[in-house]
Amino acid sequence: MIVRVVKLTIQPQLLTQFLDIYLQSQENIKHFEGCVELNVFHDYEKPNILFTISKWEHVNHLEAYRNSPFFKKVWTAVKPMFAAPAIANTLTSFS
């Protein structure tokens, strides 16, 4: 199992538009093979800083999603909304 944490800093005036796209995409992402869980959180004091946290059965499932036409379509739509580059980390437990 791996956990993918992505920090997204969205331009404040585009936050509602970003969330609309994310929420429309969320169910599709959850149905990708190997996706176990998907959540989005925002910073308590800076609501335009978001964190997506997803759990995948294997890194190959995550990579298949990231290389999919669906991901490329969504990423192309949301990337111009960023106020800073996305920061992604792929985590696994020691045990």
Side-chain angles (χ1 to χ4, degrees):
M1 173 97 48
I2 63 161
V3 176
R4 178 77 164 187
V5 179
V6 183
K7 178 182 179 185
L8 303 166
T9 305
I10 308 300
Q11 296 175 50
Q13 70 275 17
L14 299 176
L15 183 59
T16 300
Q17 184 180 349
F18 173 87
L19 289 171
D20 286 345
I21 293 170
Y22 177 83
L23 294 173
Q24 290 172 10
S25 303
Q26 192 174 29
E27 284 305 310
N28 287 333
I29 298 167
K30 286 180 179 179
H31 287 95
F32 268 82
E33 182 179 0
C35 183
V36 176
E37 189 176 329
L38 174 65
N39 295 290
V40 64
F41 298 90
H42 67 85
D43 183 277
Y44 183 76
E45 295 180 355
K46 298 176 185 173
N48 68 307
I49 298 177
L50 307 176
F51 295 85
T52 61
I53 302 175
S54 56
K55 293 182 181 177
W56 298 84
E57 290 176 7
H58 193 274
V59 71
N60 293 344
H61 293 121
L62 171 62
E63 290 306 315
Y65 161 68
R66 292 186 66 236
N67 290 313
S68 72
F70 177 79
F71 175 84
K72 291 174 184 172
K73 176 183 170 190
V74 172
W75 192 253
T76 299
V78 299
K79 190 173 180 183
M81 299 178 190
F82 296 172
I87 300 171
N89 297 97
T90 302
L91 312 171
T92 189
S93 94
F94 282 109
S95 55

